[in-house]
């Protein structure tokens, strides 16, 4: 128990001193003039007490007039009021008064107040100025030792010089501590700013990712539902059973889209009381289900697959899935009646290659510079293929860029016509391993 108390008591004392110091500094920052008046009043009062007669106990000359004692007392104490705003001017006045003090032989103890000004100079001014201040304060000591050589030089000068040096070192130490603390505070502020910036960048990246996912999920499923609804309306009169199948497919697709959307929106909730429902991201094994849904919506799709997707990382599988999904969705929207699509997927040693083409009516023929501008334009803005800049192609390019792949999208040459999307993702050796 004794050992524990001995360890904890200094800690509490240190905290108490720190709190007191912080309060004093805070008061000084709020009301510097009030603090300076308090300090000056204290030292003027102490100097006047010494001038009242106590100085004769140590003075080599006790016949100094009272009026001169009073003037020297005021000159050595009152300038403390301006020590922080004009430290060198204050020290000059005090040194000049100190010279009169040493020459007259009064040797007033108020001359020691100069060390307070020396501390302020060490706290605020360059070291060269501090050196000049020390030399100025030594002059009255030398004058007093020469005029009244009662003791040896080392006894009259050296102790005071050592006192000046200790005060100067103390001021330098406090100044270094304050600079170090200010540097730490500034570094902490910069770290907070960088942390906030990183959080904002991460939030922006997450918003972009969520927007891309919502575009892929909602855009594709709504396109499928639209195709199924159109087909069901045509078949309602002639083939009610086909209309019922279309309605059932619409319900299934809607539920799937709603489930994916709910899982995505759960990520945005700040105060979710329960963990969000988890489900795997689409992979290459889900391509067949995706294509079946597009076929059910009325778009004939022919697929060709070469190789095995076993070694393709999950991230690249999602990218391939989303690119195929976006390409078929655009064909559903803008391919027109009678359009067909072809999906060719090749898994090779050097990576994954996907090519999606369709035979839809792609608008006017583009050639030369016009075709170059059409490369990279989205056809998902309702005006036809190759017109408007939407999220679809932008999202595909962002996904492709994550894996240093290449993406080409543009109209096929006439007379065939149609649209082509070509994706290549190089093999990620580390992820595959």
């Amino acid at each position: 128990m004794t050992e524990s108390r001995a360890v904890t008591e200094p800690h509490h004392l240190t905290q108490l001193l720190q709190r007191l110091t912080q309060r004093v500094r805070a008061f000084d920052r709020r009301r510097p003039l009030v603090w300076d008046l308090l300090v000056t009043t204290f030292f003027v009062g102490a100097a006047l007490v010494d001038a009242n007669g106590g100085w004769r106990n140590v003075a080599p000359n006790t016949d100094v007039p009272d009026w001169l004692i009073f003037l020297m007392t005021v000159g050595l104490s009152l300038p403390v009021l301006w020590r922080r705003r004009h430290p060198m001017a204050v020290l000059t006045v005090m040194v000049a008064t100190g010279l009169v003090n040493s020459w007259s032989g009064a040797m007033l103890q108020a001359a020691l107040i100069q060390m307070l000004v020396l501390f302020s100079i060490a706290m605020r001014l360059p070291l060269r100025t501090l050196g000049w201040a020390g030399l100025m304060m030594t002059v009255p000591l030398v004058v007093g030792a020469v005029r009244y050589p009662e003791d040896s030089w080392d006894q009259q000068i050296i102790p005071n010089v050592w006192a000046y040096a200790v005060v100067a070192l103390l001021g330098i130490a406090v100044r270094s501590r304050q600079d170090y603390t200010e540097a730490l505070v500034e570094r902490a502020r910069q770290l907070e700013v960088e942390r906030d910036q990183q959080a904002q960048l991460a939030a922006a990246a997450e918003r972009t990712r969520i927007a891309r996912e919502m575009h892929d999920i909602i855009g594709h499923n709504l396109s499928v539902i639209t195709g199924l609804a159109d087909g069901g309306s045509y078949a309602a009169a002639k083939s009610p059973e086909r209309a019922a199948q279309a309605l059932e497919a619409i319900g299934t697709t809607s539920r799937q889209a709603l489930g994916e959307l709910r899982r995505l929106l759960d990520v945005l909730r700040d105060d979710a009381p329960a963990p969000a429902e988890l489900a795997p991201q689409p992979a290459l094994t889900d391509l067949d289900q995706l294509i079946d849904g597009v076929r059910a919506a009325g778009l004939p799709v022919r697929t060709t697959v070469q190789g095995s997707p076993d070694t393709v990382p999950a991230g690249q599988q999602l990218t391939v899935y989303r690119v195929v999904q976006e390409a078929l969705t655009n064909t559903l929207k803008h391919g027109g009646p009678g359009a067909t699509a072809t999906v060719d997927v090749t898994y090779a040693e050097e990576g994954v290659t996907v090519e999606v083409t369709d035979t839809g009516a792609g608008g006017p023929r583009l050639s030369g510079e016009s075709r170059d501008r059409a490369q990279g334009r989205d056809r998902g803005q309702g005006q036809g293929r190759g017109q408007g800049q939407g999220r679809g192609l932008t999202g595909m390019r962002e996904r492709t860029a994550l894996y240093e792949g290449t993406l080409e999208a543009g109209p096929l040459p006439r007379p065939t016509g149609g649209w082509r999307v070509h994706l290549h993702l190089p093999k990620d050796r580390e992820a595959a391993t």
Side-chain angles (χ1 to χ4, degrees):
M1 293 295 292
T2 305
E3 238 178 85
S4 175
R5 191 179 298 111
V7 172
T8 55
E9 283 179 358
H11 176 67
H12 294 307
L13 180 60
T14 302
Q15 288 184 340
L16 178 61
L17 291 176
Q18 288 178 349
R19 286 196 295 268
L20 290 175
T21 303
Q22 290 174 357
R23 291 179 180 177
V24 171
R25 288 178 178 175
F27 179 80
D28 186 23
R29 285 193 296 268
R30 291 194 306 269
R31 298 178 176 86
L33 181 59
V34 174
W35 180 255
D36 288 340
L37 286 173
L38 290 174
V39 173
T40 304
T41 302
F42 172 79
F43 282 106
V44 169
L48 289 175
V49 170
D50 182 58
N52 196 30
W55 61 276
R56 291 186 175 87
N57 297 326
V58 295
N61 180 16
T62 59
D63 297 329
V64 182
D66 292 339
W67 63 269
L68 183 58
I69 295 295
F70 177 77
L71 291 178
M72 289 190 296
T73 299
V74 173
L76 290 172
S77 58
L78 187 60
V80 171
L81 181 62
W82 299 277
R83 74 189 186 283
R84 290 197 286 191
R85 285 173 290 179
H86 309 286
M88 287 303 297
V90 169
L91 184 65
T92 302
V93 173
M94 297 177 75
V95 167
T97 307
L99 285 172
V100 177
N101 181 41
S102 299
W103 183 265
S104 65
M107 301 300 177
L108 296 176
Q109 299 299 309
L112 298 176
I113 301 176
Q114 296 177 97
M115 290 192 288
L116 181 63
V117 182
L118 180 65
F119 180 82
S120 298
I121 293 174
M123 283 277 294
R124 294 173 176 83
L125 299 182
L127 292 179
R128 178 181 299 179
T129 306
L130 179 63
W132 283 108
L135 290 176
M136 289 170 59
M137 294 174 63
T138 308
V139 174
L141 299 178
V142 176
V143 171
V146 171
R147 183 162 175 78
Y148 301 98
E150 296 181 354
D151 299 320
S152 60
W153 278 55
D154 57 346
Q155 293 179 350
Q156 289 184 273
I157 298 178
I158 299 302
N160 291 284
V161 171
W162 273 112
Y164 297 161
V166 169
V167 171
L169 291 176
L170 181 61
I172 293 173
V174 174
R175 178 179 183 174
S176 300
R177 179 67 179 178
Q178 289 183 350
D179 293 343
Y180 178 70
T181 303
E182 291 176 359
L184 289 180
V185 171
E186 178 63 19
R187 178 172 176 81
R189 188 191 66 80
Q190 292 178 356
L191 289 176
E192 288 181 359
V193 172
E194 292 177 2
R195 180 197 61 190
D196 294 340
Q197 290 176 347
Q198 292 295 331
Q200 292 174 1
L201 291 175
E206 185 65 12
R207 285 195 298 268
T208 302
R209 184 190 69 81
I210 292 173
R212 186 170 57 232
E213 292 290 337
M214 291 183 69
H215 173 272
D216 293 340
I217 294 170
I218 297 176
H220 171 74
N221 286 284
L222 287 180
S223 297
V224 172
I225 290 172
T226 301
L228 289 171
D230 291 340
S233 64
Y234 293 142
K238 298 181 180 180
S239 180
E241 64 277 5
R242 294 296 299 274
Q245 293 176 1
L247 290 175
E248 183 180 355
I250 288 175
T252 302
T253 305
S254 300
R255 284 189 292 272
Q256 291 176 352
L258 184 60
E260 292 186 22
L261 187 58
R262 282 175 176 172
R263 285 191 291 271
L264 191 61
L265 293 179
D266 281 339
V267 180
L268 301 179
R269 297 181 61 185
D270 296 331
D271 55 348
E277 181 183 356
L278 301 179
Q281 289 278 19
L284 294 176
T285 54
D286 299 313
L287 277 178
D288 292 339
Q289 182 180 358
L290 171 68
I291 294 173
D292 289 341
V294 174
R295 287 171 179 161
L299 176 65
V301 182
R302 182 178 61 86
T303 60
T304 302
V305 180
Q306 299 180 6
S308 173
D310 296 337
T311 59
V312 180
Q316 289 191 358
Q317 291 192 32
L318 177 61
T319 299
V320 172
Y321 181 92
R322 293 302 188 197
V323 169
V324 173
Q325 182 186 56
E326 179 64 25
L328 294 178
T329 300
N330 282 339
T331 301
L332 277 172
K333 289 181 180 179
H334 310 291
T340 61
T342 301
V343 179
D344 296 324
V345 184
T346 303
Y347 307 105
E349 183 67 24
E350 62 276 6
V352 184
T353 302
V354 178
E355 185 168 281
V356 183
T357 58
D358 63 54
T359 59
R365 180 177 180 179
L366 301 176
S367 61
E369 185 179 355
S370 298
R371 167 172 292 196
D372 294 338
R373 288 197 301 268
Q375 297 291 335
R377 286 187 174 271
D378 190 7
R379 52 182 190 174
Q381 294 297 308
Q383 297 180 358
R385 296 181 287 187
Q387 300 178 13
Q389 184 68 35
R391 292 182 178 272
L393 188 58
T394 302
M396 288 194 290
R397 293 195 183 280
E398 289 176 352
R399 293 182 186 277
T400 304
L402 290 175
Y403 299 98
E404 300 180 355
T406 57
L407 180 71
E408 300 174 3
L412 291 171
R414 296 296 179 93
T416 304
W419 198 268
R420 171 179 175 268
V421 176
H422 181 85
L423 168 70
H424 176 72
L425 299 179
K427 189 169 184 179
D428 190 343
R429 303 289 182 181
E430 297 182 0
T433 302

